[in-house]
Amino acid sequence: MESAFDHKKYTSIVFMDSMVALEGKPLETMPWHEIDPTGPILILVVPQVNSEIDKRKRDGRLGPRARAFNRLIAPAAETAAPHRIVEGPSPVDIAIARCARINWDLLDDLDPNEGDDRVVAQILHARDVPNDRKQLLSHDTNPIAIASRHDLKCRRLPNHWLLAPEPSPSEKEVARLKARVRELEDDQPLIELSLEFGLTQPQRIFRIEPLPDDAQKAFVSHILRANPPMQSEARSPFVIDLDYYDSGYNDRYRGYRTKVVPAYAASAHRLLEIHYGQVPFVFSLKNAGYLQAEGLVLRLTAKGGSLHDRFSCYPIFGPAAPRPATDRWLPKLGFHPRDLRTSIVGRHEMDFAVGPNRSDTVEVHCADFRHGRAWDFEGIATIDPEGEGPFVVEVEVTASNMRGIRSQTFQLPYIIEQAKVGELVDLLNRSYRVPIPMMDRFTDEVKAMNKDWIEFVAIDD
């Protein structure tokens, strides 16, 4: 029969027993250079060893190791040739040994029904390798003793090649029960905090130059031409007209023309910095322990910016002109359902003691934050480009049955870029040259006029 490989090109040939794969570290990570510092090394697996490992595939403890070994040796089994498993200064190949038929009558001291005896017998009858080049690698005394009686070289697997011993099932159960007792004996809630920013990091933040004086004047004129007064100033007090005349409109428009629009042009760069500096985040609070948090107080503090629960949308392309009132009897009352506050807060509800309102602090209270409960807050942070970064949110939480304060800091690194207004937007044509970071969602929410997500802020607000 033709040889499956050339044994002469290997400086060491090692026959392993099953425990090398099942109790040792993964073959491809073992320090084979300790056996042969130059190599190459050939590992041979006799059929008995392969069968013993294969039987362990469904074993609760050894199954993962047996399946990993099968994956490792699969290429060698498919090609009937050595397969390289370790590169480097001491390369290692693995292959399945080809064994001749065993004449057990000539091996009268070996029992064909004993696994260790079959391993040694198959090594003695392995083709392609002279007996003087064969050596057995094992950690067990019995196969080493059997092989030595038959003049096979043996090498004991070093202890540091073995995996760390695993605890027995009874030891695992004891450890589990101890951990459970510690949890039940814990006399305070276990609070977990997390905060994730919704944009790529580091975020690009623009520090924008003010509009030059001549550009401000030109833009003020452009806005006023696009927003002329909606009723005439001239009206005789003696004319009786059934149409309602808003007597205060002219004063409001005069303030719009002389104060609001010029103030907007002078601050357009700051409004754009806010527009481009808003970053979504999700904060999560969880009670992972076994006791409720009583009288919980949560505080989020921003360093280098502010916090809100809605996108702050300023009229960056110019404020709209005031409109005259059209009904003297039914004045328009502007409010949003979010402005209504319930007077009764349940013990398990989260109550904003300091609500998110474009300030640097948010504070939330809960009388009874139950164990196993989680609360998420979807907010929007506005980064001030005048800072040097990173943007920081400091979180502090405590409760009447907690010792001390649980605190954690979350950072968003960012990069400052100097920019001019005209590089980012076209004010005259009301278009973006550089989209804001949240452009896709911003566009969708503006179309939907979703005031639960977006807040339209007046210039004189």
Side-chain angles (χ1 to χ4, degrees):
M1 180 179 294
E2 183 180 353
S3 176
F5 53 86
D6 181 12
H7 69 85
K8 295 179 180 178
K9 72 176 185 179
Y10 294 101
T11 56
S12 296
I13 299 177
V14 177
F15 289 81
M16 56 170 275
D17 73 356
S18 59
M19 300 313 291
V20 174
L22 296 176
E23 300 293 348
K25 297 177 180 177
L27 295 183
E28 62 272 26
T29 66
M30 287 183 172
W32 294 103
H33 63 274
E34 295 180 6
I35 290 179
D36 187 336
T38 58
I41 302 170
L42 176 64
I43 303 172
L44 286 175
V45 182
V46 297
Q48 177 65 24
V49 170
N50 203 30
S51 176
E52 291 176 0
I53 295 174
D54 196 62
K55 290 178 181 178
R56 300 287 189 171
K57 288 191 298 185
R58 298 190 179 276
D59 184 282
R61 182 177 72 90
L62 300 177
R65 302 177 193 176
R67 291 191 292 271
F69 174 79
N70 283 346
R71 290 192 296 270
L72 185 68
I73 204 171
E78 293 169 358
T79 62
H83 170 64
R84 180 63 51 89
I85 63 171
V86 177
E87 300 287 352
S90 184
V92 180
D93 291 349
I94 192 169
I96 296 178
R98 302 191 304 173
C99 299
R101 183 181 298 275
I102 300 173
N103 186 346
W104 292 100
D105 293 335
L106 298 178
L107 300 172
D108 55 0
D109 64 328
L110 299 182
D111 186 348
N113 295 318
E114 292 292 334
D116 289 344
D117 291 13
R118 293 182 61 84
V119 170
V120 173
Q122 288 177 0
I123 294 175
L124 291 172
H125 287 75
R127 295 190 174 100
D128 308 322
V129 183
N131 285 340
D132 61 348
R133 298 211 60 201
K134 298 174 181 178
Q135 61 176 323
L136 171 65
L137 178 64
S138 175
H139 191 262
D140 296 338
T141 302
N142 190 51
I144 291 177
I146 297 171
S148 298
R149 290 203 309 267
H150 289 268
D151 299 325
L152 284 175
K153 298 176 183 178
C154 298
R155 181 182 291 269
R156 180 178 293 276
L157 188 73
N159 287 333
H160 65 276
W161 288 36
L162 296 172
L163 288 171
E166 296 184 2
S168 65
S170 60
E171 291 173 333
K172 290 182 179 179
E173 180 64 13
V174 169
R176 186 189 70 81
L177 293 175
K178 287 182 177 179
R180 177 62 172 159
V181 169
R182 285 195 300 269
E183 291 171 350
L184 294 175
E185 290 179 345
D186 196 356
D187 60 352
Q188 64 176 343
L190 177 60
I191 299 298
E192 294 181 353
L193 310 172
S194 68
L195 190 149
E196 295 184 358
F197 294 99
L199 297 178
T200 57
Q201 302 180 20
Q203 181 62 33
R204 183 172 65 161
I205 300 299
F206 293 104
R207 185 178 293 165
I208 306 172
E209 299 177 9
L211 286 170
D213 291 343
D214 55 346
Q216 291 186 32
K217 293 177 181 178
F219 192 45
V220 167
S221 299
H222 173 78
I223 294 175
L224 294 178
R225 286 195 301 271
N227 294 272
M230 296 185 182
Q231 75 175 24
S232 172
E233 292 189 16
R235 184 177 179 93
S236 172
F238 303 104
V239 175
I240 299 176
D241 193 340
L242 294 178
D243 292 335
Y244 176 62
Y245 180 78
D246 184 355
S247 60
Y249 172 76
N250 292 329
D251 289 338
R252 295 200 307 277
Y253 186 83
R254 190 175 302 111
Y256 169 77
R257 184 183 69 243
T258 60
K259 296 180 180 179
V260 174
V261 176
Y264 158 75
S267 62
H269 65 292
R270 288 293 293 161
L271 304 183
L272 279 172
E273 288 178 345
I274 296 172
H275 205 55
Y276 280 86
Q278 298 185 71
V279 177
F281 68 89
V282 176
F283 170 76
S284 296
L285 173 72
K286 182 178 180 180
N287 185 352
Y290 292 88
L291 289 176
Q292 72 274 18
E294 299 174 356
L296 179 138
V297 177
L298 168 70
R299 180 185 290 267
L300 284 74
T301 304
K303 303 294 184 181
S306 61
L307 302 173
H308 201 23
D309 60 348
R310 288 179 283 174
F311 187 94
S312 300
C313 182
Y314 291 85
I316 60 171
F317 294 111
R323 290 178 172 273
T326 58
D327 193 329
R328 76 179 76 191
W329 307 114
L330 297 175
K332 300 297 185 291
L333 299 177
F335 70 89
H336 187 266
R338 292 171 55 91
D339 299 326
L340 300 177
R341 295 291 185 263
T342 178
S343 58
I344 300 177
V345 179
R347 283 184 53 80
H348 308 304
E349 297 178 7
M350 306 296 285
D351 179 43
F352 282 96
V354 179
N357 192 27
R358 304 196 303 274
S359 65
D360 62 355
T361 302
V362 174
E363 186 170 309
V364 185
H365 296 175
C366 182
D368 186 352
F369 192 70
R370 304 306 298 271
H371 63 274
R373 184 184 172 192
W375 177 74
D376 292 339
F377 170 62
E378 295 187 13
I380 294 180
T382 300
I383 300 175
D384 184 358
E386 298 304 318
E388 297 300 328
F391 175 76
V392 175
V393 177
E394 297 178 350
V395 181
E396 294 183 346
V397 60
T398 188
S400 60
N401 59 337
M402 284 179 61
R403 293 187 295 272
I405 298 176
R406 169 87 163 86
S407 61
Q408 195 166 341
T409 299
F410 303 92
Q411 296 186 355
L412 174 67
Y414 61 84
I415 300 173
I416 292 291
E417 290 190 15
Q418 298 288 342
K420 297 180 180 179
V421 172
E423 296 172 343
L424 302 176
V425 296
D426 184 343
L427 292 177
L428 300 183
N429 293 314
R430 304 176 64 86
S431 61
Y432 291 88
R433 290 192 169 103
V434 176
I436 63 174
M438 303 175 64
M439 179 59 79
D440 290 341
R441 184 170 184 184
F442 172 75
T443 302
D444 293 340
E445 302 294 355
V446 168
K447 289 180 180 178
M449 293 293 290
N450 182 6
K451 289 188 177 182
D452 285 332
W453 187 84
I454 193 168
E455 180 179 31
F456 296 96
V457 188
I459 293 298
D460 57 349
D461 186 41

